[in-house]
């Protein structure tokens, strides 16, 4: 049987594009509220459901699942510490470590902590989420971002706090000493209000409420956008954006993108994979306008885990560029997606979420799903097939769209076009129903014995893809007892791949002894079939 997993839609993305969720039960999926995918291979995930419970699954590198141990799991396990805490969002570092924000603005951290990135004052690994209390008590955190081994947080008052590894000044406190607990970033920014934050691997960015952009940390690729390559231990204003009001900012591994209030996109930093979208691979130490040809941009995406960029336009078109599955795309390429998350699920390496996905999971109402549901539905049908006295309700237009045989049958000069019931006598009810269902669903669900009949039908109706489905089912159902019959059927219906497969089994069976026993009816039957179809098994008859 070709299995079918119901598709689920979300406000942001299709969750079925993320492989890590592929074995989850539909009931579990339908209750998901937030998901976050991270890890060196996109092999770890955190899930918040509508009951305010938090689950984790994956490899559990450095205890980043927050389960209190280092055991990986393919099945979701509860993160007890975070359940019923009102978790609103996550951020993750590639170090790796994880942060979680609650509805009340509290901040939890866990995972690797060799560089103080958990902000708990020490360097011990955190296998379970721990509340970050130092210097954040009484403050409501509304956004968090992580680099490889450092973290920054934005409060509802517009304050920026940072901690963790600081070898390049990425904490923004004027030194290169690691910072064990959150400290407020004030240099150059002062008491001005910040509205957005982002982190590259070893750099940090912030947008102020007046649209100014500041960066600090590593700058070897120009990712701070200040006109040079010198690292900055304090926030430094991004050059070349005077008079432009920036509203959103994102960071890749070593590049930065910013979006203005007029929907204009700017980029700077590393460009060895075309991630700046400038049409070349030259780094930029100052912001340059990009992707003007795609129109007004309303959302942008990137992740410090990789070198890919994506943008959503006002017309709901999604574009991407950068390192896409090993290829360097240097200008904005239109995708078939409607969500920025889908770009990262399908093309980023690793496939991690660029930010947590807020889901409103419901059974999708895609055209394909609706068509599947109306198969054999009497109320909406306009045609019936009578097979062995049983009726199958279908829709003439769907059959004409899906099958050349029916396109020919339902022509004005054919009598069938005027009938509302068509009698079928040459095929059995299970076989013909399976065929009609296949036209609605692309699925085949028959035992091997009946699949032979469907193979006959597919051959008669010239349905090449259906033949392949049948061959797959028959292969999986081959036994020593039925291989001879299936081999003969494969030859009769011109199923060459199945024929070769069966013949291989016959050869193995008969050549196991190197001779044929005329006293064994089974072996003699195989021998006769092979002789009829001129297949040489290279054995001698006793």
């Amino acid at each position: 049987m070709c299995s079918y997993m119901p598709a689920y839609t979300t406000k942001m993305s299709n969750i079925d594009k993320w492989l890590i969720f592929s074995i989850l039960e539909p009931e579990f999926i339908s209750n998901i509220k937030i998901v976050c995918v991270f890890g060196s291979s996109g092999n770890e995930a955190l899930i918040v459901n509508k009951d305010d419970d938090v689950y984790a699954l994956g490899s559990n590198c450095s205890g980043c699942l927050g389960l209190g141990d280092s055991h990986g799991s393919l099945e979701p396990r509860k993160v007890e510490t975070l359940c019923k805490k009102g978790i609103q969002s996550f951020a993750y570092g590639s170090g790796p470590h994880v942060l979680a924000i609650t509805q009340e603005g509290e901040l939890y951290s866990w995972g690797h902590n060799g560089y103080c990135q958990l902000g708990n004052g020490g360097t011990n690994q955190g296998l379970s989420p721990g509340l970050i209390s130092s210097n954040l008590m009484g403050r409501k955190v509304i956004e968090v971002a992580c680099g490889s081994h450092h973290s920054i947080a934005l409060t509802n008052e517009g304050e920026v706090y940072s901690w963790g590894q600081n070898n390049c000044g990425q904490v923004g406190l004027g030194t290169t000493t690691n910072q064990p607990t959150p400290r407020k970033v004030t240099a150059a920014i002062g008491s001005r209000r910040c509205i957005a934050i982002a982190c590259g691997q070893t750099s940090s960015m912030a947008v102020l409420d007046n649209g100014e952009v500041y960066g600090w940390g590593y700058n070897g690729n120009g990712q701070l956008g200040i006109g040079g390559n010198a690292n900055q231990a304090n926030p430094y204003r991004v050059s070349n954006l005077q008079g432009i009001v920036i509203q959103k900012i994102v960071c890749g591994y070593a590049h930065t993108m910013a979006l203005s209030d007029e929907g204009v996109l700017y980029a700077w930093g590393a460009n060895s994979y075309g991630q700046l979208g400038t049409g070349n691979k030259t780094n930029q130490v100052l912001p340059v306008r990009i992707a003007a040809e795609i129109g007004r941009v309303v959302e942008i995406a990137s992740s410090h885990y990789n070198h890919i960029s994506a943008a959503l336009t006002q017309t709901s078109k999604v574009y991407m560029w950068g390192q896409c599955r090993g290829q360097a795309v240097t200008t904005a390429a239109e995708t078939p997606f409607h969500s920025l998350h889908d770009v990262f699920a399908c093309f980023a390496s690793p496939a991690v979420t660029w930010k947590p996905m807020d889901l409103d999971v419901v059974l999708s109402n895609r055209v394909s799903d609706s068509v599947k549901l109306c198969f054999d539905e009497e109320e909406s049908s306009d045609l019936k097939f009578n097979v062995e006295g049983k009726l199958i309700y279908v829709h003439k237009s769907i059959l004409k769209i899906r099958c050349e045989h029916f396109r020919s049958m339902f022509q004005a000069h054919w009598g069938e076009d005027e009938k509302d019931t068509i009698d079928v006598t040459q095929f059995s009810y299970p076989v013909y129903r399976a065929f009609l269902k296949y036209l609605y669903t692309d699925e085949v669900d028959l035992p091997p014995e009946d699949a032979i009949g469907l193979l006959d039908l597919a051959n008669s109706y010239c349905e090449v893809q259906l033949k392949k489905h049948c061959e797959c089912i028959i292969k999986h159902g081959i036994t020593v007892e039925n291989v001879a019959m299936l081999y003969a059927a494969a030859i009769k219906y011109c199923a060459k791949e199945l024929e070769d497969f069966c013949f291989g089994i016959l050869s193995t069976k008969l050549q196991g002894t190197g001779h044929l026993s005329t006293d064994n009816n089974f072996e003699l039957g195989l021998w006769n079939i092979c002789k009829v179809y001129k297949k040489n098994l290279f054995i001698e008859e006793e």
Side-chain angles (χ1 to χ4, degrees), residues 392-424:
I392 307 170
Y393 297 90
V394 293
H395 307 76
K396 188 182 297 185
S397 58
I398 292 178
L399 301 189
K400 290 170 69 175
I401 290 171
R402 291 281 287 149
C403 179
E404 181 63 37
H405 171 78
F406 290 121
R407 275 196 292 277
S408 300
M409 176 186 289
F410 299 127
Q411 304 230 359
H413 59 277
W414 288 88
E416 285 85 352
D417 189 50
E418 298 178 358
K419 295 180 179 179
D420 60 4
T421 303
I422 297 175
D423 295 322
V424 175

Side-chain angles (χ1 to χ4, degrees), residues 366-435:
R366 299 178 189 171
V367 172
S368 59
D369 297 325
S370 297
V371 170
K372 289 176 182 180
L373 291 174
C374 70
F375 171 66
D376 206 10
E377 180 186 68
E378 181 177 1
E379 183 179 355
S380 64
S381 71
D382 58 1
L383 180 67
K384 302 183 288 291
F385 283 94
N386 180 15
V387 190
E388 297 178 345
K390 301 176 183 177
L391 296 179
I392 307 170
Y393 297 90
V394 293
H395 307 76
K396 188 182 297 185
S397 58
I398 292 178
L399 301 189
K400 290 170 69 175
I401 290 171
R402 291 281 287 149
C403 179
E404 181 63 37
H405 171 78
F406 290 121
R407 275 196 292 277
S408 300
M409 176 186 289
F410 299 127
Q411 304 230 359
H413 59 277
W414 288 88
E416 285 85 352
D417 189 50
E418 298 178 358
K419 295 180 179 179
D420 60 4
T421 303
I422 297 175
D423 295 322
V424 175
T425 58
Q426 63 270 46
F427 300 104
S428 70
Y429 173 80
V431 165
Y432 212 77
R433 190 179 192 281
F435 167 58

Side-chain angles (χ1 to χ4, degrees), residues 187-236:
I189 296 176
S191 59
R192 289 186 290 174
R193 185 183 182 90
C194 178
I195 61 169
I197 55 175
C199 288
Q201 278 280 297
T202 49
S203 60
S204 305
M205 305 296 301
V207 180
L208 303 188
D209 59 1
N210 64 354
E212 292 180 359
V213 181
Y214 285 79
W216 58 95
Y218 183 70
N219 193 35
N221 298 285
Q223 56 262 59
L224 299 188
I226 61 176
N229 294 107
N231 296 349
Q232 299 296 319
N234 284 312
Y236 199 102

